[in-house]
C-alpha cells in the first residue's frame, strides 16, 4: 500500500492501465483494488491474465482531495484538539492509478475535477506520478474533498463531499482487459461504464463502496465479474457475481476459501 497524507481528489477519475510484463499477478491484483477514482482499465501482465479473477477485467476509480487530522480519540459529540493537520492529493482511485503506474503500467485516468486549485493540484500530482490525465475533465465547481480524522490507534472516520465526482459522465471507454469501478461516482455512471466494458469483452471489477441501495445496483451486479467488499459490506452484498473478494483489514483479504495475509506494518492510517 502507498500511504498518502490527507488530500481528497475532486472529480471522478477513470484509469486505463497497460502492463508491459513488468508486474506480477499479485501486483495486478493490487492495482485492481482501487475504489476512489473514476474509471480504470488494466492491461494485465501475461502471468496475471492466467488467473480467471483478472482475465478481461476493466477498472474504474474516483478522485478527491484529503484533509487529514490526527487526534488521540474521537468521542461522539465532543470537541477534540488535533495533534497534526495535513492536506494531500489522494482518493482511493487516484492512489490506485498511481500504484499501477509505479508498478510499471501505462495508466490513463478518466475523471472529473473542479476548476479550482485543488483540481489543478490533483491533475498535476497524477501527471508527476506517470498517470496520463488526458481523460480528466475540469468542471466549473469544487473538486471532491474528504475530511479524515485519524485517532491514536490509526483508526479513521471519513466524510466525503463528492464535488465534481458527482458529475462524471461516461459514454465511451478505451479498450482494456480490466475495468475497476467504485461507488463514489454516480451509480448510473458506474452502470454505464460496466455495460460498455462488458459489451467489449472486458472483465468488470467493482469495489462496492460506499454500498448503496437501489435497483441500479442489482443491474450493476449483472454486468460485474468481481466484487470487492469489506466485512461490513460483505454482509450487505446480496447479488450474485462470479467472484467476491472480502478485505479483512489487518488480516488481509479473502477470495473464496483462500485468505491472503496482510504484511505486518506499523499502521499510520487505515
Amino acid at each position: 500500500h502507498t500511504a498518502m497524507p490527507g488530500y481528497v481528489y475532486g472529480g471522478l477519475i477513470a484509469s486505463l492501465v497497460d502492463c508491459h510484463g513488468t508486474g506480477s499477478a499479485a501486483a495486478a491484483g493490487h492495482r485492481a483494488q482501487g475504489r476512489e477514482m473514476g474509471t480504470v482499465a488494466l492491461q494485465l501482465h501475461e502471468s496475471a491474465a492466467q488467473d480467471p479473477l483478472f482475465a478481461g477485467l476493466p477498472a474504474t476509480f474516483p478522485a478527491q482531495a484529503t484533509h487529514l487530522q490526527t487526534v488521540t480519540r474521537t468521542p461522539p459529540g465532543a470537541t477534540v484538539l488535533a495533534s497534526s493537520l495535513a492536506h494531500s492529493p489522494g482518493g482511493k482511485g487516484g492512489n490506485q492509478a498511481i500504484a499501477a503506474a509505479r508498478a510499471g503500467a501505462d495508466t490513463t485516468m478518466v475523471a472529473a475535477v473542479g476548476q479550482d486549485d485543488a483540481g489543478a493540484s490533483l491533475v498535476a500530482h497524477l501527471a508527476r506520478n506517470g498517470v496520463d490525465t488526458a481523460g480528466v475533465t475540469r468542471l466549473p465547481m469544487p473538486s471532491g474533498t474528504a475530511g479524515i480524522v485519524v485517532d491514536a490507534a490509526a483508526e479513521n472516520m471519513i466524510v466525503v463531499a463528492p464535488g465534481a465526482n458527482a458529475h462524471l459522465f461516461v459514454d465511451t471507454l478505451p479498450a482494456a482487459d480490466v475495468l475497476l469501478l467504485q461507488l463514489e461516482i454516480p451509480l448510473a455512471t458506474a452502470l454505464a461504464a460496466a455495460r460498455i466494458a462488458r459489451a467489449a469483452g472486458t472483465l468488470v471489477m467493482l469495489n462496492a463502496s460506499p454500498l448503496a441501495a437501489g435497483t441500479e445496483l442489482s443491474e450493476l451486479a449483472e454486468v460485474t465479474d468481481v466484487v470487492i467488499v469489506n466485512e461490513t459490506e460483505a454482509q450487505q452484498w446480496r447479488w450474485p457475481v462470479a467472484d467476491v473478494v472480502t478485505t479483512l483489514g489487518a488480516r488481509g483479504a479473502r477470495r473464496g476459501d483462500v485468505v491472503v495475509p496482510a504484511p505486518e506494518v506499523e499502521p499510520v492510517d487505515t
Side-chain angles (χ1 to χ4, degrees), residues 38-59:
T39 305
V40 178
L42 305 180
Q43 199 74 28
L44 299 181
H45 180 271
E46 181 179 356
S47 60
Q50 304 302 316
D51 189 331
L53 174 63
F54 300 118
L57 208 104

Side-chain angles (χ1 to χ4, degrees), residues 10-26:
L12 300 177
I13 297 184
S15 308
L16 290 174
V17 179
D18 245 335
C19 298
H20 294 299
T22 58
S24 66

Side-chain angles (χ1 to χ4, degrees), residues 16-212:
L16 290 174
V17 179
D18 245 335
C19 298
H20 294 299
T22 58
S24 66
H30 178 69
R31 286 195 298 275
Q33 290 180 15
R35 279 189 203 177
E36 275 201 16
M37 285 224 160
T39 305
V40 178
L42 305 180
Q43 199 74 28
L44 299 181
H45 180 271
E46 181 179 356
S47 60
Q50 304 302 316
D51 189 331
L53 174 63
F54 300 118
L57 208 104
T60 318
F61 317 90
Q64 298 162 0
T66 305
H67 304 278
L68 177 67
Q69 301 179 68
T70 305
V71 299
T72 56
R73 59 194 179 93
T74 55
T79 298
V80 296
L81 296 178
S83 60
S84 65
L85 174 66
H87 305 275
S88 18
K92 295 180 181 68
N95 290 348
Q96 288 184 333
I98 289 173
R102 290 180 177 179
D106 289 337
T107 308
T108 300
M109 295 301 296
V110 177
V113 299
Q115 294 177 355
D116 53 10
D117 291 344
S121 175
L122 293 171
V123 173
H125 178 68
L126 290 167
R128 283 195 303 271
N129 283 276
V131 177
D132 186 342
T133 61
V136 178
T137 301
R138 302 290 299 275
L139 300 178
M141 60 186 64
S143 295
T145 301
I148 304 175
V149 177
V150 183
D151 68 14
E155 295 294 335
N156 66 25
M157 180 178 67
I158 304 173
V159 178
V160 176
N165 282 329
H167 299 272
L168 178 64
F169 174 77
V170 174
D171 59 3
T172 184
L173 290 174
D177 289 330
V178 177
L179 173 67
L180 177 59
L181 296 159
Q182 44 67 52
L183 298 179
E184 289 187 346
I185 61 176
L187 192 52
T189 301
L191 177 58
R195 285 173 170 167
I196 293 169
R198 174 60 65 89
T202 303
L203 200 74
V204 177
M205 180 177 282
L206 170 67
N207 197 318
S209 178
L211 192 56

